[in-house]
Amino acid sequence: MRVLQLLLLGGLLALITACSNTDREPEYTSEADLYEAAQAQMRRSQWETAISNLQSLEENFPFGTYAEQAQLELIYAYYRSGDADMVSATADRFIRLHPQHRNVDYAYYMKGLSSFTEGRGMFERVLPTDLTQRDPGAARDSLDHFAQLLTRFPDSIYASDAKRRMLYLRNRLARYEIHVANYYFKRGAYVAATNRGRYVLENFDTTPAVPDALAVMVQGYDLLDMPELSAQMLDILKLNYPDHPALNDDGSFDFQYSSDEGDRSWLSLITFGLFDKSEPPGFDTRELYNPEYQDAPQPPSGV
């Protein structure tokens, strides 16, 4: 009887072990098997498993037939899994190890693309979100990476897409500066606000934010008691953008902010404007000067 119980227990354990093994990924031993398995897993969007097999391939067959291609595939798998840091690290490693590789431009492109999409989670893709008010760090990184790509590989197959994305990024970064200028105006930081307008003119002079940058400087110089500079900026604004909403019918400027602190409420003064419900809206003429904004654009699609 005891022998029968042991046999039954052993059979049950064997059955449990066999069932558990059916849920596991098969073990791949050859380089070709690992690569083909990773390819199949990426086609099924099984990014974590594909990453594991690509890493295993690189570790066990560092000089094999698929080694370099697997490193490129790994960059893409990290990108699709949403791991921007690993995209950058893996791309940098590929560039360092294979600077003359025929597809090294792809590594540069993926660095820019990863930064471009960083922070655009599910809610940002579905709900209307003004990305120009978000932290511009990733956008600046993306712009730098794409610029590197175009400098090193101007004839790359990714150059055209990189240029389109750079245009979008420049517009976004310029508009961010205007948002910050509006914020500084509301807090009474007039020097900082004016500097933001100047920064747009000096660094993003072809973007749709230029009209508002000029308006920021007209307003800022006026508040800083620099009437000559304010008048110069006003002349430029009237000459190039005569339909700007800040211009009155007679060509004068409709100043949104007052330099007279006495016009501000006591609540606004003691809270530095944080709770002043009467704050003006600030300069924002995207619907007038930015054709892409008028068409409710989306960033260019990914790879």
Side-chain angles (χ1 to χ4, degrees):
M1 186 69 177
R2 184 175 179 79
V3 173
L4 180 60
Q5 290 176 339
L6 291 174
L7 289 175
L8 290 173
L9 180 60
L12 181 61
L13 289 175
L15 180 62
I16 293 174
T17 303
C19 292
S20 63
N21 285 338
T22 60
D23 296 332
R24 295 178 183 174
E25 284 286 335
E27 294 185 1
Y28 305 101
T29 56
S30 73
E31 180 187 12
D33 285 346
L34 278 169
Y35 183 75
E36 291 301 325
Q39 290 290 300
Q41 289 150 2
M42 287 195 291
R43 286 193 294 270
R44 297 193 296 266
S45 299
Q46 297 173 338
W47 306 114
E48 298 302 326
T49 309
I51 288 170
S52 177
N53 281 323
L54 289 169
Q55 288 175 332
S56 181
L57 188 155
E58 186 180 0
E59 292 169 0
N60 293 283
F61 306 96
F63 305 107
T65 304
Y66 299 97
E68 294 178 0
Q69 183 61 31
Q71 292 172 19
L72 290 173
E73 301 282 2
L74 190 57
I75 296 172
Y76 181 70
Y78 276 127
Y79 169 73
R80 292 303 303 270
S81 70
D83 194 336
D85 290 338
M86 286 306 299
V87 172
S88 182
T90 308
D92 281 337
R93 182 170 179 270
F94 185 87
I95 293 168
R96 185 176 66 256
L97 294 176
H98 313 287
Q100 303 302 321
H101 193 279
R102 65 185 183 280
N103 292 325
V104 70
D105 58 333
Y106 177 77
Y108 283 97
Y109 173 73
M110 289 302 293
K111 286 183 64 177
L113 186 62
S114 179
S115 297
F116 184 88
T117 56
E118 186 176 354
R120 289 183 58 85
M122 178 183 67
F123 292 107
E124 284 75 14
R125 293 187 178 97
V126 176
L127 300 176
T129 303
D130 188 357
L131 293 177
T132 64
Q133 298 191 42
R134 300 283 295 274
D135 184 346
R140 291 196 181 105
D141 290 342
S142 181
L143 189 64
D144 290 341
H145 296 325
F146 285 137
Q148 273 191 324
L149 169 68
L150 295 179
T151 299
R152 294 173 181 268
F153 307 97
D155 299 323
S156 168
I157 61 173
Y158 308 107
S160 177
D161 186 68
K163 289 177 182 177
R164 291 190 301 115
R165 293 179 188 276
M166 288 178 71
L167 177 63
Y168 170 86
L169 289 166
R170 285 174 56 82
N171 290 349
R172 175 180 165 183
L173 289 171
R175 179 51 54 182
Y176 173 80
E177 296 297 324
I178 300 301
H179 285 313
V180 175
N182 287 328
Y183 173 84
Y184 281 145
F185 274 137
K186 294 174 183 179
R187 303 298 173 258
Y190 304 137
V191 173
T194 307
N195 286 339
R196 294 287 178 159
R198 184 188 302 111
Y199 183 83
V200 171
L201 294 182
E202 293 175 350
N203 296 277
F204 304 110
D205 59 336
T206 60
T207 66
V210 166
D212 285 334
L214 289 168
V216 163
M217 296 184 74
V218 174
Q219 178 77 75
Y221 283 133
D222 178 76
L223 292 170
L224 293 171
D225 196 23
M226 298 180 176
E228 292 184 0
L229 291 176
S230 179
Q232 290 178 12
M233 293 298 106
L234 179 56
D235 289 341
I236 297 173
L237 179 64
K238 289 192 295 185
L239 178 63
N240 293 279
Y241 307 99
D243 55 346
H244 193 284
L247 296 175
N248 296 316
D249 292 339
D250 61 358
S252 61
F253 193 82
D254 185 10
F255 292 98
Q256 295 190 29
Y257 304 89
S258 171
S259 59
D260 184 1
E261 294 292 343
D263 292 342
R264 298 172 63 185
S265 68
W266 65 269
L267 181 62
S268 174
L269 290 173
I270 65 175
T271 62
F272 300 98
L274 290 175
F275 298 101
D276 191 345
K277 297 183 181 298
S278 63
E279 291 178 342
F283 302 109
D284 188 349
T285 58
R286 281 177 287 181
E287 294 186 1
L288 180 61
Y289 294 113
N290 191 340
E292 293 183 358
Y293 184 81
Q294 296 165 6
D295 296 334
Q298 296 295 324
S301 60
V303 296

